Amino acid sequence: MVQLIRGFKDILPGEIEKWQAIEKTAEQLFEDFGYRQIRVPIMERTELFARSIGEDTDIVEKEMYTFADRGKDLLTLRPEATASIVRAYIQHKMYASDPVRKFYTIGPMFRRERPQKGRYRQFYQIDAEVFGVTSPYIDAQLIVMLSTLLARLEVSDVTAHVNSLGCPACRPGYKAALGELLASREADLCADCRRRSSSNPLRVLDCKVPACREAMADAPSLLAYLCTDCRIHFDTVQSMLTDMAVPFVTDERLVRGLDYYTRTAFELQTGALGAQSAVAGGGRYDGLVKTLGGPDIPAIGFAVGFDRLAEIAFADREPADQEPLVYIAALGEKSVAAAFGWSTRLSAAGVHCEIDFSDKSLKSQMKRANRVKAGHVLMVGDNELDKGSAILRNMATREQVDIPIDTLVESTIQYFKAL
Ligand code: HAM
């Protein structure tokens, strides 16, 4: 048998109900904050991701699913959604009438990481992006919206880790200081970090190799290098989070795994997930719209790891079954033929109706009605057809009523409406 690709997974009925509930909750909340849904392709030109996420990142260096298509274009399955949304914002000149735009999207992303619990090669993100707002209030509001989402999904034990990565005015000073330190510790670093220490020293702070972590333990804090504007921006974000009672810590080591960030960067971490503790991450990327060929427009956003979220959301709730309102147990060829029309019309009218068209014994059809937890069973055989009425049984109370066959669909709908 052909098996799933490693790191990919199926989301089966039974599990999907939770995903749908999460999706609905996120959509409703985001719309209330003024976000509108956008859908972008799952494949883009490789160049788009390389230029935005950064050539020195793990994602671009090691994890992208990239291939030349038959026309020899170099294409990549998207490892994230931000780059595509920025591309769409620029390509459709969405800034022209009103640069302030808020979007969200939900869908699959692809990264060829080492699979483990909470880390997949195809995973899903719930992503939100805001364009055109410089104010730190939007940074804080975005984080509050994200915390609200997690609270509504009954995820507890969440802390926001926030940091500022500075801007083109102040980051070079920090990079230089970090570069100097790295040069003196080159021998202790992994091969990746040695390479990156001159091209992109901030990446070294994000390295997971224990030896590199140790070598960087006393690295200077970026916060000490912030310019006045970045400092005021970051202070405002933090005081708004305090005002809104969002649990957060300032995490001067947080640099995130993508290069496009400026100023505010954040991650929501929870103890409930084990090693893969980040349930969401995001930040400001004020330079990216311009880098990708658009006007100089600031932006900020985040993505929630849907798979990780689904593991911890609604932890105390039983998985919901899709229980049919009515099961039609039809006995005999004539009844099955009539039940085809009834069941199809009932479902089309919005009454969840189940039937197996099997013409099996009443006992075996009742067994299946029980297995699928049908609330009612509509029984019809030759006798009922002759009599002109079917029997509708409430499975919980065992009460039975007669339903006239010539108006069966309408009468059944009426019966349920009156319940
Ligand atoms: P990211 O931190 O790379 O950021 O991913 C966001 C979240 O996606 C992570 O916190 C994690 O929950 C989930 N995630 C990432 N990789 C995997 C994986 N292999 N398996 C399961 N879940 C995973 C971004 O992608 C940015 N685009 C976020 C952003 C939006 N920044 C600004 N706007």
Side-chain angles (χ1 to χ4, degrees), residues 329-332 335 379-387 389-390 405:
L331 296 165
S335 300
M379 290 172 283
V380 54
D382 289 345
N383 278 347
E384 285 71 28
L385 286 182
D386 289 346
K387 249 184 13 196
S389 62
I405 282 185

Side-chain angles (χ1 to χ4, degrees), residues 59 79-83 111 113 118-125 127-129 256-258 260-261 267-268 278-285 300-308:
I59 299 178
E80 58 119 44
T82 311
R111 296 183 194 174
E113 296 189 75
R119 203 205 271 153
Y120 309 100
R121 289 180 170 176
Q122 175 178 330
F123 59 99
Y124 290 75
Q125 284 185 344
D127 182 282
E129 313 287 350
R256 312 264 308 120
L258 308 96
Y260 48 60
Y261 293 112
E267 255 175 39
L268 264 67
V279 68
R284 199 166 255 288
Y285 48 96
I300 179 166
F302 66 74
V304 188
F306 203 150
D307 311 71
R308 294 182 190 175

Side-chain angles (χ1 to χ4, degrees), residues 106-392:
I106 303 176
M109 311 293 154
F110 304 84
R111 296 183 194 174
R112 201 173 182 289
E113 296 189 75
R114 199 166 53 78
Q116 63 181 77
K117 190 171 151 44
R119 203 205 271 153
Y120 309 100
R121 289 180 170 176
Q122 175 178 330
F123 59 99
Y124 290 75
Q125 284 185 344
I126 303 174
D127 182 282
E129 313 287 350
V130 183
F131 292 86
V133 185
T134 315
S135 164
Y137 290 130
I138 200 75
D139 307 34
Q141 193 184 54
L142 201 70
I143 297 171
V144 172
M145 180 172 92
L146 182 52
S147 307
T148 309
L149 174 65
L150 296 182
R152 282 202 193 164
L153 299 174
E154 299 167 23
V155 176
S156 52
D157 185 19
V158 182
T159 307
H161 287 234
V162 297
N163 194 18
S164 175
L165 299 180
C167 68
C170 54
R171 202 188 298 174
Y174 177 70
K175 267 185 162 175
L178 192 62
E180 245 170 65
L181 179 81
L182 289 170
S184 70
R185 308 226 165 127
E186 216 182 291
D188 303 327
L189 303 176
C190 72
D192 279 343
C193 286
R194 245 175 273 152
R195 191 163 30 80
R196 290 167 180 174
S197 57
S198 52
S199 62
N200 197 343
L202 243 66
R203 289 269 63 87
V204 179
L205 290 178
D206 198 37
C207 182
K208 305 286 178 289
V209 174
C212 297
R213 297 209 146 222
E214 211 173 293
M216 298 311 294
D218 61 348
S221 163
L222 217 159
L223 294 178
Y225 286 76
L226 293 185
C227 60
T228 311
D229 286 351
C230 285
R231 161 62 50 203
I232 294 172
H233 189 101
F234 191 46
D235 286 347
T236 311
V237 174
Q238 292 177 92
S239 78
M240 290 307 109
L241 292 179
T242 307
D243 273 9
M244 297 302 289
V246 174
F248 76 94
V249 293
T250 307
D251 182 350
E252 58 189 31
R253 279 298 140 104
L254 183 80
V255 291
R256 312 264 308 120
L258 308 96
D259 272 352
Y260 48 60
Y261 293 112
T262 52
R263 294 196 165 166
T264 316
F266 56 91
E267 255 175 39
L268 264 67
Q269 301 188 3
T270 162
L273 277 170
Q276 303 305 319
S277 60
V279 68
R284 199 166 255 288
Y285 48 96
D286 289 344
L288 187 57
V289 178
K290 192 156 184 227
T291 303
L292 292 180
D296 192 4
I297 290 176
I300 179 166
F302 66 74
V304 188
F306 203 150
D307 311 71
R308 294 182 190 175
L309 188 58
E311 263 187 48
I312 51 178
F314 304 127
D316 301 331
R317 256 191 245 179
E318 287 294 309
D321 278 323
Q322 283 250 359
E323 292 157 9
L325 198 53
V326 58
Y327 192 97
I328 303 186
L331 296 165
E333 236 174 78
K334 271 209 266 169
S335 300
V336 174
F340 160 75
W342 300 330
S343 62
T344 308
R345 274 189 266 136
L346 279 169
S347 289
V351 174
H352 181 175
C353 179
E354 269 295 326
I355 181 166
D356 64 13
F357 301 117
S358 69
D359 197 17
K360 284 194 185 137
S361 70
L362 182 61
K363 193 171 158 205
S364 113
Q365 294 198 49
M366 291 306 275
K367 225 169 146 181
R368 177 145 192 272
N370 274 319
R371 194 164 57 231
V372 299
K373 302 199 182 113
H376 297 75
V377 177
L378 188 77
M379 290 172 283
V380 54
D382 289 345
N383 278 347
E384 285 71 28
L385 286 182
D386 289 346
K387 249 184 13 196
S389 62
I391 303 162
L392 184 65

